[in-house]
């Protein structure tokens, strides 16, 4: 009960001592992705005059504790959620280039982000503080947010410092109740405006802070462009160092967009043969080496004769980029040996403009193979293969252990003949990695290109996850040239025998959205390699966004797979849409819906 004079403003503080009902015993905690449920509570506040409600508001919040320290062997920053260490498998978020935002776009990009398996989104310093809806979705999806404040190493401090601090104050007040908001950073590779830290800590002392992105246990980043994927295993992927140890704030590689997107980016005459000047224009002046090194890696699958062939092979290079990067980080997580690793922020995963150096999806919201191969690499329980050492490891990102599981490796030659098989029983603890469990011995007479399938089965013998790789016999001759089993010697893939898929589908409507349930079975004796599904409109263009539970996958002979497509459309009339199914060695078929 309070009294206010006309025009008076007063701050009212409710304390648990004064109001015991504010104390919550055994609260449901908010957890990040894969660590638990991101539980949320609702707070409703009303102000009444003479028993009549004058005003009210509602807000949601989560109960959790996020801290960090540098108590690590190399003084790198380590994060904790609710007292437990969390290995940061994060990413950099670049806002839409012309700030053409909408709730629909925000939802699509964050849904893709969650699907990829990353657990932290860095609002890179050259960007903005995203919308309330953005943070609402991060709260609901269990995505941590690292918030930076509008300064980078290539910009100057504002002339109007008071205006900057006023912006800072309003932003912190707007965002501070979101449980997803984990960390404050004043700038990207720059310095802080005088008074920024004191103001942030005054407004919100519950979160950590550092002056800029490369200090206080976070080292410099790189690489940002294409390299030989074999270099990721060497921890020397760029001249700057590109360390896998410590906490790396920017480390990534590009992926070519799909054919349909490329045709929207530039004229057909510039697409093929590749017009280097135009391609480089759409690659930041050739920064990511799309018209040079990336093209050379694509041509190691056989020189392309058309843009259709080049775009198809380009997805393989992008998938290899993403899977090798993430699996190297899996291998090194939380290792107290000579190389401690606490986190990675991928550079970067979304596309702010139309470009040929796409990431997990391009500006048009069309996913690339990178999204699905990242999703596989970041599944919380994962078996993986090291292309440099030929070793198999298992990574567990859950806060629970698994006993009496079995990891199995099968190797198939280009003709789908099994030439190697080995399995091993394992117990894996919570948040643990079992590195170098066993080595795959490839037969000396194996075909130049072959395939590896890893499976992980539970104590009852049911397979719970699997991973599929393609590998060449090419020797790795060092980081200066494009050699090695990830990077060269794939020409004979073009001679792969044809496989056949049986496709069944049915449609359904749920809460006003249209879904397609697709069931696929490999009815041939050949591996169906790199299978892609596409939901198309009447003009034959991909419907964007559409959310596939998986894509760009491979199936063994007799293997089945179910894929659910959330089409994001609310109505489908006969003949208006179609579904295509095809792959590297699977003839594309179109099904009218």
């Amino acid at each position: 009960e309070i009294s206010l004079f006309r025009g008076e403003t007063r701050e009212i503080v409710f304390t648990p001592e004064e109001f015991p009902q504010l104390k919550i015993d055994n609260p449901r905690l908010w957890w990040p992705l894969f660590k638990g449920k991101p539980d949320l509570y609702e707070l409703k506040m009303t102000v009444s005059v003479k028993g009549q409600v004058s005003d009210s508001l509602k807000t949601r919040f989560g109960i959790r504790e996020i801290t960090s320290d540098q108590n690590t062997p190399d003084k790198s920053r380590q994060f904790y959620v609710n007292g437990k260490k969390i290995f940061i498998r994060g990413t950099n978020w670049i806002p839409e280039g012309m700030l053409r935002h909408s709730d629909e776009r925000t939802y699509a990009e964050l849904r893709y982000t969650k699907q990829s398996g990353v657990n932290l989104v860095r609002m890179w310093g050259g960007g903005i503080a995203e919308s309330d809806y953005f943070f609402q979705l991060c709260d609901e999806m269990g995505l941590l947010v690292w918030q930076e404040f509008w300064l980078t190493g290539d910009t100057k401090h504002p002339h109007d410092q008071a205006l900057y601090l006023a912006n800072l104050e309003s932003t912190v007040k707007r965002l501070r109740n979101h449980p997803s908001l984990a960390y404050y950073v004043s700038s990207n590779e720059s310095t802080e405006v005088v008074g920024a830290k004191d103001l942030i800590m005054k407004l919100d002392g519950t979160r950590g802070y550092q002056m800029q992105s490369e200090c206080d246990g976070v080292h410099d980043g790189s690489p940002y462009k294409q390299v030989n994927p074999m270099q990721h295993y060497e921890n020397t992927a760029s001249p700057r160092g590109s360390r896998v140890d410590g906490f790396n704030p920017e480390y990534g590689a590009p992926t070519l967009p799909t054919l349909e997107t490329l045709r929207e980016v530039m004229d057909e005459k510039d697409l093929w043969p590749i017009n280097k000047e135009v391609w480089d224009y759409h690659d930041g002046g050739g920064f990511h080496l799309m018209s040079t090194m990336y093209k050379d890696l694509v041509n190691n699958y056989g020189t392309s004769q058309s843009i259709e062939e080049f775009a198809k092979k380009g997805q393989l290079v992008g998938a290899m980029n993403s899977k090798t990067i993430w699996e190297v980080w899996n291998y090194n997580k939380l290792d107290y040996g000579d190389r401690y690793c606490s986190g990675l922020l991928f550079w970067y995963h979304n596309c702010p403009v139309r470009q040929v150096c796409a990431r997990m999806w391009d500006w048009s919201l069309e996913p690339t193979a990178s999204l699905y191969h990242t999703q596989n690499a970041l599944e919380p329980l994962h078996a993986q293969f090291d292309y440099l050492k030929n070793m198999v490891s298992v990574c567990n990102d859950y806060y629970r252990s698994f006993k009496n599981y079995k990891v199995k490796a099968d190797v198939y030659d280009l003709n789908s003949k099994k030439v190697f098989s080995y399995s091993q029983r394992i117990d894996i603890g919570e948040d643990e990695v079992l590195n170098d469990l066993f080595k795959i011995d490839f037969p000396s007479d194996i075909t130049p290109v072959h395939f590896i399938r890893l499976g992980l089965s539970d104590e009852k013998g049911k397979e719970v996850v699997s991973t599929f790789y393609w590998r060449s016999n090419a020797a790795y001759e060092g980081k200066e040239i494009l050699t090695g089993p990830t990077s060269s010697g794939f020409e004979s893939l073009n001679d792969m025998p044809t496989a056949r898929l049986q496709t069944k589908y049915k449609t359904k409507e749920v809460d006003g959205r249209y879904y397609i349930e697709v069931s696929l079975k490999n009815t041939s004796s050949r591996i169906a390699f790199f299978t892609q599904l596409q939901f198309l409109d009447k003009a034959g263009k991909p419907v964007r966004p559409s959310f596939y539970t998986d894509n760009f996958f491979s199936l063994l002979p007799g293997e089945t797979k179910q894929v659910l497509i959330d089409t994001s459309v609310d109505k489908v009339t006969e003949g208006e849409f179609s579904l295509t199914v095809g792959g590297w060695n699977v003839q594309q078929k179109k099904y009218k819906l």
Side-chain angles (χ1 to χ4, degrees):
E1 297 289 339
I2 60 171
S3 297
L4 295 175
F5 289 108
R6 182 175 56 194
E8 183 182 0
T9 299
R10 189 187 305 179
E11 183 179 87
I12 307 299
V13 179
F14 294 87
T15 66
E17 292 76 21
E18 204 175 349
F19 298 92
Q21 61 268 38
L22 290 179
K23 182 181 178 183
I24 302 177
D25 293 319
N26 302 313
R28 304 187 312 272
L29 298 181
W30 185 94
W31 291 96
L33 185 65
F34 298 141
K35 301 303 187 183
K37 188 178 178 181
D39 258 311
L40 295 169
Y41 288 86
E42 183 177 85
L43 170 68
K44 183 177 181 181
M45 303 178 67
T46 61
V47 58
S48 302
V49 179
K50 295 182 179 180
Q52 298 295 315
V53 175
S54 174
D55 194 17
S56 66
L57 64 81
K58 291 192 298 185
T59 186
R60 290 192 303 171
F61 65 96
I63 298 176
R64 92 291 179 269
E65 180 188 58
I66 299 175
T67 59
S68 68
D69 61 36
Q70 293 179 252
N71 299 327
T72 56
D74 59 358
K75 305 300 181 185
S76 57
R77 185 154 297 278
Q78 171 70 62
F79 284 84
Y80 305 80
V81 177
N82 299 327
K84 286 183 171 287
K85 287 183 180 179
I86 180 169
F87 184 66
I88 298 297
R89 303 194 291 185
T91 185
N92 285 268
W93 175 278
I94 313 297
E96 204 282 337
M98 298 297 290
L99 303 184
R100 294 166 288 192
H101 294 286
S102 67
D103 285 351
E104 293 75 18
R105 184 178 186 88
T106 297
Y107 172 79
E109 295 208 77
L110 285 177
R111 180 165 171 176
Y112 286 145
T113 301
K114 180 184 178 182
Q115 181 175 347
S116 75
V118 301
N119 58 22
L120 182 145
V121 179
R122 174 193 176 196
M123 306 306 297
W124 177 72
I128 61 173
E130 284 284 359
S131 66
D132 293 336
Y133 183 57
F134 176 98
F135 281 88
Q136 173 193 323
L137 291 177
C138 288
D139 291 345
E140 295 169 354
M141 294 179 177
L143 298 174
L144 297 166
V145 180
W146 160 318
Q147 180 65 53
E148 288 181 9
F149 293 106
W150 324 308
L151 294 174
T152 77
D154 50 8
T155 61
K156 296 181 180 179
H157 280 199
H159 288 290
D160 192 335
Q161 182 175 318
L163 178 61
Y164 175 89
L165 294 176
N167 287 339
L168 190 70
E169 179 174 357
S170 63
T171 299
V172 172
K173 285 182 176 179
R174 178 167 68 88
L175 303 181
R176 63 187 176 185
N177 283 342
H178 289 281
S180 56
L181 181 60
Y183 202 57
Y184 292 121
V185 181
S186 263
S187 68
N188 168 64
E189 302 172 16
S190 183
T191 54
E192 63 193 355
V193 172
V194 174
K197 179 180 180 180
D198 291 342
L199 178 59
I200 292 171
M201 292 297 100
K202 175 185 175 183
L203 296 168
D204 180 11
T206 68
R207 293 171 173 91
Y209 170 90
Q210 66 186 54
M211 179 182 71
Q212 54 109 342
S213 58
E214 296 182 352
C215 67
D216 296 340
V218 180
H219 60 69
D220 62 328
S222 72
Y224 305 93
K225 57 188 72 174
Q226 185 63 57
V227 300
N228 185 338
M230 291 300 298
Q231 290 179 237
H232 301 139
Y233 297 95
E234 285 195 335
N235 199 22
T236 57
S238 84
R240 287 180 62 179
S242 64
R243 298 188 299 283
V244 175
D245 49 298
F247 194 111
N248 195 316
E250 297 173 1
Y251 187 123
T255 298
L256 190 73
T258 61
L259 174 65
E260 294 80 7
T261 298
L262 286 170
R263 285 186 161 141
E264 296 168 4
V265 171
M266 67 184 85
D267 294 335
E268 197 77 23
K269 63 180 177 60
D270 296 317
L271 274 178
W272 199 264
I274 290 174
N275 184 328
K276 187 176 185 303
E277 182 179 358
V278 177
W279 278 64
D280 285 357
Y281 172 81
H282 291 288
D283 183 27
F287 180 82
H288 297 93
L289 309 179
M290 298 303 292
S291 70
T292 52
M293 186 182 292
Y294 198 102
K295 181 182 75 173
D296 293 341
L297 283 166
V298 173
N299 284 336
N300 282 342
Y301 288 83
T303 303
S304 298
Q305 302 302 314
S306 65
I307 188 58
E308 290 84 358
E309 183 182 358
F310 186 82
K312 178 181 178 181
K313 294 175 178 177
Q315 290 303 309
L316 289 163
V317 174
M320 186 70 79
N321 280 337
S322 296
K323 182 165 282 191
T324 52
I325 288 174
W326 288 112
E327 290 189 340
V328 165
W329 250 269
N330 287 343
Y331 183 94
N332 286 282
K333 85 166 192 172
L334 304 178
D335 181 7
Y336 277 102
D338 59 347
R339 193 164 72 187
Y340 184 84
C341 182
S342 56
L344 157 72
L345 304 181
F346 193 84
W347 181 260
Y348 45 94
H349 79 299
N350 64 325
C351 276
V353 296
R354 289 193 181 276
Q355 53 193 46
V356 296
C357 49
R359 292 308 199 267
M360 296 184 199
W361 59 91
D362 68 83
W363 179 87
S364 72
L365 302 180
E366 177 77 0
T368 68
S370 175
L371 172 62
Y372 305 101
H373 285 256
T374 297
Q375 170 186 319
N376 179 254
L378 292 185
E379 59 191 355
L381 189 61
H382 180 66
Q384 63 184 48
F385 171 73
D386 186 314
Y387 278 92
L388 186 63
K389 297 189 293 185
N390 294 342
M391 301 294 289
V392 172
S393 302
V394 176
C395 174
N396 177 18
D397 203 54
Y398 287 119
Y399 286 148
R400 55 191 172 98
S401 59
F402 299 89
K403 293 187 179 297
N404 199 28
Y405 272 48
K406 183 174 74 172
V407 57
K408 183 181 181 185
D410 294 316
V411 178
Y412 299 84
D413 67 14
L414 196 62
N415 298 306
S416 305
K417 178 184 176 183
K418 187 186 293 188
V419 297
F420 174 90
S421 185
Y422 184 83
S423 63
Q424 181 175 324
R425 288 284 174 183
I426 62 168
D427 294 334
I428 186 167
E430 68 171 56
D431 206 29
E432 185 180 20
V433 183
L434 300 178
N435 284 334
D436 301 338
L437 290 169
F438 59 87
K439 186 175 184 180
I440 294 181
D441 294 317
F442 296 96
S444 58
D445 59 348
I446 196 170
T447 53
V449 180
H450 39 273
F451 308 99
I452 307 161
R453 188 185 189 278
L454 304 181
L456 197 59
S457 302
D458 63 18
E459 66 277 5
K460 297 179 181 179
K462 179 183 177 182
E463 186 173 85
V464 291
V465 293
S466 65
T467 319
F468 193 90
Y469 302 85
W470 58 100
R471 178 185 181 272
S472 78
N473 274 338
Y476 179 42
E477 300 174 9
K479 58 187 178 182
E480 303 302 325
I481 51 177
L482 297 181
T483 58
T486 63
S487 313
S488 62
F490 291 110
E491 290 82 359
S492 61
L493 262 177
N494 296 287
D495 302 323
M496 192 175 180
T498 302
R500 295 184 306 276
L501 292 179
Q502 179 187 78
T503 303
K504 296 181 180 179
Y505 64 91
K506 61 180 180 179
T507 60
K508 64 178 182 179
E509 186 178 334
V510 180
D511 297 330
R513 291 174 74 94
Y514 187 76
Y515 294 81
I516 309 172
E517 294 178 341
V518 186
S519 178
L520 301 162
K521 182 177 182 180
N522 184 352
T523 58
S524 69
S525 60
R526 310 294 187 183
I527 293 171
F529 181 54
F530 220 62
T531 301
Q532 182 188 8
L533 282 62
Q534 282 190 300
F535 176 60
L536 307 175
D537 64 17
K538 193 172 183 178
K541 293 185 177 180
V543 178
R544 302 162 179 154
S546 292
F547 306 99
Y548 305 73
T549 52
D550 202 0
N551 219 337
F552 296 96
F553 51 82
S554 299
L555 294 176
L556 296 177
E559 189 174 8
T560 61
K561 189 176 186 68
Q562 281 69 47
V563 176
L564 179 65
I565 306 173
D566 178 350
T567 67
S568 75
V569 300
D570 55 9
K571 185 180 180 181
V572 172
T573 57
E574 187 174 350
E576 187 178 0
F577 297 97
S578 61
L579 172 71
T580 64
V581 180
W584 181 268
N585 62 327
V586 177
Q587 184 177 2
Q588 188 179 85
K589 289 186 178 181
K590 179 181 287 190
Y591 302 89
K592 290 288 186 179
L593 301 177

